């Protein structure tokens, strides 16, 4: 693996010492993205919110300090360890939980959360199944805000693209995003575009 591929790989699943460095820098890099998602999600004090691929837990720390309960899931042990440190006061208070796991098999029962968000669908091995899992753990009337990488116009309607390091990741057209959200069981799907991403807002009825 080249140095560039190693760096891109760490960005997708931080591990070891280099992973800790990436985990520390990601909240700075994604500050504008977190603010965008927070505005769309419009979290309220009574919300129980789940952040799938939560990284270091910075989004929940910054934008969900006022909600009833926060929960994060990530496949990186490094990220979960950092998320627990970042949100240690809420964990001690019993209003936060952070779990290492698979987005395609969320370890919570049906209808657990009032809101769910995710900004890393492009990195998932099974994006459609992961979306269905997010819908499953939402309560009826619960809402989701999901960020999904947009396919480049010159590539047309293709399900995968290759980044600069030669690593494949998912990317979608707007029509594909709508179809995927509907296929996962979401309703009232609306899309907006920014930061080279689609932001899908949807409900579970």
């Amino acid at each position: 693996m080249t140095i560039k591929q190693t760096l891109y790989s760490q960005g997708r699943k931080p591990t070891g010492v280099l992973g800790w460095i990436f985990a520390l820098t990601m909240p700075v890099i994604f500050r504008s993205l977190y603010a965008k998602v927070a505005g769309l999600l419009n979290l309220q004090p009574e919300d129980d919110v789940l952040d799938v691929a939560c990284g270091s837990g910075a989004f929940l720390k910054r934008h969900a300090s006022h909600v009833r309960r926060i929960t994060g899931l990530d496949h990186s042990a490094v990220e979960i360890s950092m998320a627990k440190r970042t949100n240690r006061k809420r964990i001690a208070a019993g209003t936060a939980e952070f779990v290492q796991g698979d987005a395609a098999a969320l370890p919570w029962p049906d209808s657990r959360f009032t809101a769910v968000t995710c900004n890393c669908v492009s990195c998932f091995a099974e994006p459609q199944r992961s979306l269905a899992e997010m819908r499953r753990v939402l309560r009826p009337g619960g809402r989701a805000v999901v960020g999904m990488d947009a396919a480049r116009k010159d590539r047309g309607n293709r399900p995968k693209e290759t980044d600069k390091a030669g690593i494949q990741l998912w990317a979608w057209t707007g029509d594909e995003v709508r179809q995927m959200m509907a296929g996962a069981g979401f309703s009232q799907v609306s899309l907006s575009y920014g930061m080279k991403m689609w932001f899908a807002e949807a409900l579970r009825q």
Side-chain angles (χ1 to χ4, degrees):
M1 183 179 290
T2 67
I3 293 176
K4 184 179 288 187
Q5 286 175 323
T6 298
L7 293 175
Y8 272 75
S9 178
Q10 284 289 339
R12 282 155 178 76
K13 187 176 182 180
T15 59
V17 175
L18 187 58
W20 278 95
I21 296 172
F22 269 84
L24 285 168
T25 60
M26 283 182 188
V28 178
I29 295 171
F30 295 131
R31 184 183 298 271
S32 296
L33 175 62
Y34 293 165
K36 169 74 172 179
V37 171
L40 295 174
L41 200 55
N42 189 26
L43 292 170
Q44 300 299 312
E46 65 273 16
D47 275 321
D48 293 333
V49 59
L50 169 65
D51 186 2
V52 179
C54 66
S56 66
F59 171 81
L60 294 173
K61 173 73 172 180
R62 292 175 182 170
H63 299 288
S65 61
H66 61 297
V67 307
R68 179 166 51 196
R69 184 174 179 85
I70 60 174
T71 303
L73 177 135
D74 202 280
H75 67 168
S76 167
V78 167
E79 294 281 28
I80 288 298
S81 180
M82 186 169 291
K84 289 179 177 179
R85 293 188 182 191
T86 301
N87 295 277
R88 58 187 177 277
K89 290 183 179 179
R90 292 210 62 168
I91 292 173
T95 61
E97 177 185 20
F98 291 89
V99 177
Q100 184 181 3
D102 184 358
L106 297 177
W108 293 284
D110 295 358
S111 306
R112 171 65 181 80
F113 303 97
T114 64
V116 63
T117 187
C118 178
N119 299 311
C120 296
V121 178
S122 299
C123 300
F124 295 161
E126 300 178 88
Q128 185 69 68
R129 182 175 175 183
S130 298
L131 289 172
E133 279 288 278
M134 293 179 215
R135 188 263 181 194
R136 178 185 65 79
V137 299
L138 271 178
R139 298 173 194 170
R143 62 204 188 279
V145 172
V146 180
M148 303 172 71
D149 284 9
R152 296 194 297 271
K153 292 180 180 179
D154 62 341
R155 294 294 294 273
N157 190 21
R158 296 184 63 173
K160 268 196 173 183
E161 296 190 351
T162 303
D163 64 21
K164 293 178 182 179
I167 298 173
Q168 284 194 320
L169 68 160
W170 296 98
W172 298 274
T173 65
D175 287 343
E176 287 174 327
V177 172
R178 289 184 184 278
Q179 292 169 8
M180 290 177 67
M181 294 297 288
F186 287 105
S187 62
Q188 298 184 38
V189 179
S190 62
L191 296 186
S192 57
Y193 178 82
M195 306 178 196
K196 300 181 180 180
M197 297 178 68
W198 296 109
F199 292 94
E201 301 172 68
L203 298 177
R204 176 185 177 176
Q205 290 188 335

